[in-house]
Structure formats: structure tokens, C-alpha cells
Amino acid sequence: MPLFLKKELEDDARIYVWEITETEEELLASTAVPDNELEELSYTRSEARRREKLAERALLNEIFPEKLYLGHHDNGKPYLQNTAMEISISHTNRFVAILLSPDENLGIDIECLDRDFSAVEKKALSEDELEDLEDDKRKTLQLAIYWCAKEAIYKRMSISGVDFAEQIEVERFTPRDEGEITATFYHKDGTEMEFELSYEVFENHVMVWVVD
């Protein structure tokens, strides 16, 4: 399927979302995939993961008409080899989301609301965040926003060994279909960084992003 969603953000940042409706075979037949990515796919055992990676490449080809190469740093952070654009990528079984910016640090995460977020509640939230949880049917949505926000900041920071509960604190918010939230990243040396994130809910999914 072609592009599902495109959002124009400030400072020429953009979000693109592709809905994965194709089979792995259909994506392989219709998508020009660089040799190095084909080799990587040959070592990927999970069919779902191969399908997500092929949809990611299909979306990149949709965004960039010219031939574009995607690489990854040692920590897994993606980068575009032949353009100066910054990139962040996230997948679910149904969607691939790509966030681009010409010169800003960034991070994006997308999750399906059908996921079990009980582990997030136990391991990724601080005591204050746990106290702020809604005690109703919107609790799952709130947990999803918490997790996506922390993942987006983690990708933006690109630092290993981050304790999500201790080092990323999301300020109290009321979960809605879209909105903005504030979060703070606490470095281990005691310094702090504050971020403004945006989120949107669509098709039983939550997407959160940060550009700064």
C-alpha cells in the first residue's frame, strides 16, 4: 500500500507512515532493495521482521526518488549514508513510521494498543508516574503513551544503559487522541534535559515523537 500518513512538522521535519498490507513476496516483487539489505534479510529468521524491513525499504523508496542507502551505528541507531538528513524509525506488525529532519536530533516510536503493557508498568515507570496512572479503560492508552515517549527519547539520546524508570520522567498528562507532553532526561552525571513531545492515536496505535 502507498503512504498511509504524512505529517509536516516545524523546521522541515516530517513523519511518514506506511501501512503494511503486502505479503513478503509482494514487497520483494515491487520494491528495489539494495544488495546489503537483501543479504541482511537472508539471515533474518522471523517472517514478520523481514516483512517489516521490506516495508521500511518501500517507504524509503517512496520518500526518496534517488537511490538511498540505510546504515546502522553500533548501537543500532539508523542513519542515511548518502544524505545529511537525520532519521528515526519504528515498526509494528501493521505500520512503519519514519521521522526525518534536516538538522535536528529526533526519535519516534509507534505501538499497537493490543500489546500487553503490564511489563511497562512494572519496570519502566517511576513511582510518581505510577501514582498518575488513570484507573479506568484509558489506562492502556496512558501506558502506551508513557512507553512510546520514553522509547522516543531513548532513540533521540542514543545512549546505552538507560534506566527508563529512573532517567526518563514524563510529566503528568491526561491521555487523549492527540496532544503534547513534557519529559525530562536525567544524565547519570546529574545534568538534565527537558523535551517537548507530541503524540497521536490512530487505527488502534499510538505514535509519539520528539524533534529538538
Side-chain angles (χ1 to χ4, degrees), residues 43-162:
Y43 295 110
T44 304
R45 294 185 178 182
S46 168
E47 180 181 348
R49 181 61 176 164
R50 292 195 303 269
R51 188 164 165 259
E52 289 173 8
K53 296 299 289 184
L54 285 167
E56 175 185 303
R57 168 47 62 180
L59 179 52
L60 283 171
N61 291 351
E62 177 85 8
I63 298 169
F64 298 97
E66 68 276 14
K67 196 170 185 179
L68 192 79
Y69 292 95
L70 180 70
H72 293 84
H73 296 288
D74 291 342
N75 63 2
K77 182 179 180 180
Y79 66 93
L80 298 173
Q81 296 181 354
N82 49 328
T83 178
M85 295 286 285
E86 296 293 325
I87 186 170
S88 183
I89 304 171
S90 185
H91 313 89
T92 67
N93 287 335
R94 184 177 172 186
F95 292 108
V96 175
I98 291 180
L99 172 60
L100 295 166
S101 172
D103 52 15
E104 300 289 348
N105 294 309
L106 43 76
I108 192 168
D109 196 60
I110 185 170
E111 294 286 351
C112 179
L113 287 170
D114 289 336
R115 170 180 169 173
D116 181 2
F117 289 96
S118 57
V120 174
E121 185 175 356
K122 294 175 182 177
K123 296 182 179 181
L125 299 190
S126 68
E127 291 184 6
D128 287 343
E129 289 167 340
L130 288 170
E131 290 178 1
D132 290 341
L133 281 177
E134 299 284 336
D135 190 21
D136 60 16
K137 63 182 180 180
R138 294 182 72 82
K139 180 180 177 180
T140 296
L141 174 58
Q142 190 174 21
L143 283 171
I145 294 170
Y146 269 126
W147 177 250
C148 287
K150 294 195 177 202
E151 273 285 332
I153 291 175
Y154 174 70
K155 292 178 180 180
R156 182 260 177 250
M157 297 303 298
S158 191
I159 297 174
S160 60
V162 173

Side-chain angles (χ1 to χ4, degrees), residues 5 16 20 22 27 34 39 48-49 52 55 60 88 121 124 132 144 146-147 149-150 185-186 210-211:
L5 173 68
Y16 299 87
I20 312 173
E22 309 88 346
L27 285 165
E39 182 179 3
R49 181 61 176 164
E52 289 173 8
L60 283 171
S88 183
E121 185 175 356
D132 290 341
Y146 269 126
W147 177 250
K150 294 195 177 202
F185 183 88
Y186 297 93
V210 57
V211 182

